[in-house]
Amino acid sequence: MPDRRAFKLLSWFERDRAHVQLVDAATEGRCIVEWWDEEVTQAIEDGFLDRHDLLGSALAYAASVGLIPEDLR
């Protein structure tokens, strides 16, 4: 599992809008993975995102599909 300190989770939820984005903490701009609106809802329903641990679950998902660069593992 990647070191949680190397990443930052940006998220917001407002009425029918939602955004969850995992970024490299060192650059705060290098997007690793992101979900918008219905994608957020679907990822939660499918078990890829855990509403109670968005950072941990986003990291686990990104690592499982090879989105975490080798230098950040």
Side-chain angles (χ1 to χ4, degrees), residues 3-4 9 11 14 16 22 28 30 40 44 49 56-57 62-63 66-67 69 72-73:
D3 183 356
R4 292 171 73 107
L9 187 91
S11 66
E14 181 179 303
D16 62 340
L22 180 66
E28 289 193 29
R30 183 174 166 200
V40 174
I44 291 170
L49 287 178
S57 58
L67 296 175
L72 295 177
R73 291 187 190 179

Side-chain angles (χ1 to χ4, degrees), residues 2-66:
D3 183 356
R4 292 171 73 107
R5 295 172 295 182
F7 301 90
K8 185 174 181 179
L9 187 91
L10 308 173
S11 66
W12 57 263
F13 295 87
E14 181 179 303
R15 296 183 194 161
D16 62 340
R17 300 292 320 266
H19 180 245
V20 175
Q21 181 179 30
L22 180 66
V23 298
D24 178 344
T27 64
E28 289 193 29
R30 183 174 166 200
C31 177
I32 306 296
V33 63
E34 70 180 327
W35 295 268
W36 282 96
D37 302 327
E38 294 84 20
E39 294 172 340
V40 174
T41 304
Q42 192 65 50
I44 291 170
E45 288 175 2
D46 291 346
F48 295 117
L49 287 178
D50 178 349
R51 191 177 289 275
H52 302 290
D53 183 15
L54 287 173
L55 176 58
S57 58
L59 275 172
Y61 172 80
S64 74
V65 296

